[in-house]
Amino acid sequence: MSTPLMENHDGFSALAATDRVAGQLYTDPEIFEAELEKIFYKTWVWVAHESEIPDKGNFKKAMIGRQPVIVTRDRKGALNVLLNRCRHRGASICEPDKGKANGFTCPYHSWSYSLDGQLRGIPYPEGYEGVIEKKDMPLQKLRVESYAGMVFASFNQDIEPLEDFLGDAKLWMDRFMMQGAGFGIKVQGEHKFRFDGNWKIQLENTTDGYHFPIVHRSWMASVDAETADMLSFMTDENAVTHALGNGHSVAIMVPEHVELDADDGTEELQERFRHIIDELSETMPADQVRRIVRSMHGAGFNLNLFPNVAMSMSFFRVLRPISVNETEVQHMALGLDGGPESVNRERLRIHEHFQGPFGFGTPDDAEAWDRVQRGANGNPQMPIMVNRGLNRETTGTEGWKTSHVTDESGMRESYSQWKKMMGND
Amino acid sequence: MTSESTLTAPLENGFASDALLDPMVSKAIALIWHEATLLDAKNYVAWEALWTPGGKYVIPIDPDTDDFESGLNMIYDDARMRRMRVTRLTEGYSMSAVASARTARTISRFTVTANDGECVTLRSAQIIVGFKREKHLLLAADLEHRISFVDGEPRLDLKVVRLVNSEGAVTASGFLL
Ligand code: FES
Ligand SMILES: [Fe+2]
């Protein structure tokens, strides 16, 4: 029988220890409410990739916890993240998921706002003379900063600079973007699904190499031998997970694809891409073809950025907490901005094969996570164990705690940040 | 044209009152209902045999597109992908397929959009109700079937399932639409 983590609560942070967390972290609605306040409304939360809003006037909707926001590129080209809530009586001012606009007009009484949130127009203004000034009623604006094309926002106006928060993860974001192979990265489309479980179950999964050959056996059986071999990291000692600080971590599944810019020429291109190689070779030098085809499966790692986004091989995984036992997940397929059409199509087909509600991978992940939530309702005091690999965890010269990719160093890093933030007032 | 040229000309709103009475159309609808029966029964091996070798099975995300190749889909299967999908759903290693919901689906509201004597294209509406672990789930979709007659036998040549919530969150499931 496992011992409960703690007897007397002096705050939720005591529910997470180094090697285990209380099962109630998945099931307690009070903890969920506190997480929204202390994590999602306090830290940097990913809201967009710049390719989704490339031009002046582009916008997309996003959610931070329960709060709806609009990410815009204004007439000067600057990024804005605005609360999607009219300053008059609260109607949402934007409902399309994305698009292009000169501004936003509230559907209720037609107050109109510019792309940077200024209140521009009030119909029949006589009733407001001497009552309000337009300049005092802009849309609520969040802090917004971006790194490597990844746009983050925060309700916390006093938050540290994004680059400080990302810290050592920045190196891995740069490495991730190398899959552009000389082109920029663009979002090509997205799958969206929900599962009946707590958001942290998905957060943990991004660096969980341990589940892969078990949960994804049917996917592994369906791909060509070269692809299956590429992902046979269970006994590869170079496949490691690093804890990067501030809750971020990286799980390396394909060590030879960590730095796609570096190529010693020994790797054979996968035969499944022969039709692409032949087509590109008609117009491109061999080294460029090789560079693009080596990057077809994306970077060789999953980078988990606390709390809501992962840069996962060839896609972004974005999670949105709905309630204590429901989570929405987006899988955004990436392509080469301005790159060869055939390559981008091939990348879409690879994405469809694994991801999405009818992919060969996602439904099995979702089923496993539903099962975690169902099981965790049994004795919520009994701990969830995240101690795998503590016996072989080392700290390298970079200061990163490191263990095998099937170990749970990434989860320990997430929970140490969770503990820190849940202890803050 | 059709085997019996008894069809009246469509009215101005496109409604041809006896288009569904064409024997090829009746056979096509019978195939679509047979397909639905097989899918509810999760008899995927028999389902796979209903297809032409070049048949495409698509669940797109973009509600308006017919260019499935250059956008992201939920399913975009040719014969090879279909083969692997059936294997995955039947071999017992996929935990979502093993634990998939029981389903009952109805397909109705058929309209004939093309009929050249070799191929019949039909649109219809599909409602699927599923049940799994205390919860019902509901999926509604517009369907498009192109049924090709090879040696007089109807075969699935194209099936496009346009979920009404294709751009929203779709529950990951271990069954087919
Ligand atoms: S609620 Fe927006 S104008 Fe009245
Ligand atoms: Fe997985």
Side-chain angles (χ1 to χ4, degrees):
Chain A
M1 178 68 204
S2 324
T3 39
L5 276 169
M6 55 160 301
E7 303 295 341
N8 55 339
H9 299 207
D10 55 349
F12 296 126
S13 70
L15 295 173
T18 310
D19 65 340
R20 64 190 65 196
V21 301
Q24 77 198 80
L25 258 65
Y26 298 155
T27 57
D28 185 339
E30 259 184 74
I31 294 179
F32 181 80
E33 294 302 321
E35 287 171 341
L36 292 183
E37 293 301 328
K38 290 170 178 261
I39 296 173
F40 284 88
Y41 303 151
K42 279 281 155 43
T43 191
W44 288 108
V45 172
W46 185 91
V47 290
H49 182 254
E50 289 197 24
S51 68
E52 297 180 275
I53 41 170
D55 303 320
K56 295 170 184 175
N58 280 151
F59 65 86
K60 73 164 273 198
K61 283 197 307 181
M63 292 293 286
I64 299 180
R66 275 198 204 101
Q67 304 200 52
V69 299
I70 320 167
V71 189
T72 72
R73 199 177 278 283
D74 65 30
R75 287 164 59 170
K76 297 188 188 106
L79 294 167
N80 302 270
V81 178
L82 310 166
L83 197 66
N84 188 4
R85 179 195 194 282
C86 181
R87 288 302 304 274
H88 178 217
R89 292 227 301 280
S92 68
I93 56 163
C94 172
E95 282 303 336
D97 287 336
K98 54 185 181 247
K100 198 161 193 178
N102 294 319
F104 304 99
T105 300
C106 180
Y108 201 2
H109 313 91
S110 277
W111 287 25
S112 59
Y113 302 89
S114 61
L115 290 161
D116 62 356
Q118 297 308 308
L119 177 59
R120 287 277 182 247
I122 299 184
Y124 309 106
E126 311 77 34
Y128 288 116
E129 268 164 35
V131 180
I132 56 168
E133 294 288 335
K134 280 195 287 208
K135 67 170 175 31
D136 299 332
M137 301 292 273
L139 297 174
Q140 182 180 338
K141 253 176 127 153
L142 282 70
R143 278 275 300 276
V144 53
E145 287 176 24
S146 67
Y147 182 81
M150 302 290 273
V151 184
F152 295 78
S154 181
F155 281 103
N156 177 4
Q157 295 294 334
D158 305 320
I159 196 169
E160 65 187 317
L162 175 67
E163 294 208 19
D164 294 355
F165 171 67
L166 294 172
D168 288 350
K170 290 195 307 249
L171 166 69
W172 293 90
M173 294 169 78
D174 294 337
R175 285 176 169 167
F176 185 89
M177 296 303 179
M178 288 177 188
Q179 66 184 284
F183 297 94
I185 291 292
K186 70 168 178 185
V187 173
Q188 292 206 80
E190 65 180 70
H191 288 127
K192 230 188 261 183
F193 67 98
R194 291 186 179 192
F195 68 96
D196 291 333
N198 187 268
W199 65 280
K200 297 185 294 300
I201 298 170
Q202 156 70 94
L203 182 75
E204 293 168 10
N205 178 267
T206 291
T207 58
D208 186 332
Y210 197 25
H211 84 293
F212 201 87
I214 299 146
V215 170
H216 301 307
R217 180 167 171 175
S218 80
W219 176 83
M220 288 287 262
S222 73
V223 294
D224 57 296
E226 288 167 322
T227 301
D229 191 48
M230 183 186 82
L231 281 162
S232 62
F233 47 72
M234 297 309 281
T235 53
D236 178 351
E237 60 187 29
N238 294 319
V240 295
T241 291
H242 301 298
L244 302 171
N246 290 349
H248 315 315
S249 58
V250 62
I252 299 167
M253 278 89 68
V254 192
E256 54 282 16
H257 287 178
V258 161
E259 270 191 84
L260 286 161
D261 283 353
D263 181 5
D264 64 9
T266 55
E267 182 187 338
E268 293 217 24
L269 297 182
Q270 288 189 5
E271 206 41 47
R272 69 183 280 188
F273 300 132
R274 173 55 50 197
H275 59 292
I276 308 259
I277 298 167
D278 291 345
E279 186 208 299
L280 298 185
S281 298
E282 288 171 16
T283 55
M284 261 182 201
D287 59 334
Q288 194 185 2
V289 174
R290 182 174 167 82
R291 179 79 188 70
I292 289 172
V293 174
R294 273 187 81 232
S295 303
M296 199 75 88
H297 292 287
F301 55 83
N302 287 357
L303 173 63
N304 210 14
L305 300 177
F306 189 90
N308 81 319
V309 69
M311 302 167 73
S312 202
M313 295 196 74
S314 59
F315 68 101
F316 299 145
R317 186 272 289 143
V318 187
L319 67 83
R320 169 184 162 200
I322 307 282
S323 69
V324 68
N325 55 12
E326 192 177 14
T327 305
E328 184 167 298
V329 183
Q330 277 167 279
H331 288 158
M332 310 180 97
L334 304 177
L336 312 188
D337 202 357
E341 190 62 31
S342 58
V343 172
N344 285 339
R345 287 180 184 192
E346 190 74 15
R347 291 179 68 115
L348 288 170
R349 300 293 91 80
I350 294 171
H351 191 83
E352 284 161 358
H353 190 157
F354 192 101
Q355 314 295 343
F358 296 90
F360 285 29
T362 299
D364 295 326
D365 276 323
E367 170 68 10
W369 306 336
D370 283 5
R371 294 281 292 267
V372 171
Q373 188 73 21
R374 291 173 70 78
N377 285 315
N379 191 359
Q381 265 76 50
M382 189 181 277
I384 301 290
M385 304 307 298
V386 288
N387 56 358
R388 184 177 159 85
L390 269 174
N391 57 342
R392 49 186 174 180
E393 194 170 79
T394 58
T395 303
T397 48
E398 303 93 339
W400 303 334
K401 284 182 187 160
T402 298
S403 60
H404 192 251
V405 72
T406 59
D407 292 340
E408 289 161 348
S409 296
M411 293 161 226
R412 291 193 282 276
E413 179 59 34
S414 301
Y415 282 116
S416 106
Q417 182 73 3
W418 184 93
K419 186 178 174 68
K420 191 167 118 199
M421 298 201 76
M422 292 299 279
N424 291 343
D425 289 319
Chain B
M1 274 306 288
T2 52
S3 43
E4 293 158 79
S5 34
T6 53
L7 297 185
T8 53
L11 306 180
E12 67 272 24
N13 60 5
F15 173 64
S17 61
D18 54 3
L20 294 174
L21 301 179
D22 181 280
M24 275 180 64
V25 171
S26 303
K27 284 184 184 176
I29 291 175
L31 179 70
I32 290 167
W33 279 335
H34 178 56
E35 186 206 5
T37 309
L38 293 177
L39 289 177
D40 277 337
K42 301 187 170 61
N43 187 347
Y44 299 118
V45 173
W47 172 78
E48 192 189 357
L50 303 181
W51 289 84
T52 65
K56 287 267 169 65
Y57 172 45
V58 197
I59 306 183
I61 295 171
D62 181 343
D64 303 315
T65 194
D66 284 308
D67 177 11
F68 309 120
E69 185 88 22
S70 56
L72 187 68
N73 305 287
M74 286 178 261
I75 291 183
Y76 184 52
D77 281 3
D78 56 11
R80 180 181 144 271
M81 276 298 283
R82 229 169 11 249
R83 178 85 282 279
M84 296 195 298
R85 190 176 296 280
V86 168
T87 302
R88 174 181 133 75
L89 291 172
T90 52
E91 72 187 341
Y93 297 142
S94 157
M95 65 193 293
S96 63
V98 168
S100 66
R102 271 185 75 174
T103 60
R105 66 194 73 200
T106 53
I107 302 172
S108 188
R109 198 251 264 147
F110 287 103
T111 56
V112 181
T113 56
N115 182 352
D116 66 3
E118 283 172 11
C119 259
V120 175
T121 305
L122 286 152
R123 291 188 188 218
S124 58
Q126 170 169 267
I127 310 291
I128 300 183
V129 179
F131 182 78
K132 173 176 170 177
R133 296 184 192 136
E134 300 115 30
K135 276 176 94 170
H136 280 91
L137 63 97
L138 184 66
L139 289 162
D142 285 306
L143 301 186
E144 180 178 347
H145 281 92
R146 187 168 68 225
I147 310 293
S148 122
F149 285 75
V150 187
D151 305 325
E153 281 306 305
R155 286 276 174 275
L156 300 170
D157 194 46
L158 174 71
K159 177 178 179 183
V160 183
V161 182
R162 295 184 194 274
L163 283 167
V164 297
N165 60 331
S166 67
E167 293 180 300
V170 177
T171 304
S173 60
F175 59 87
L176 296 183
L177 305 182

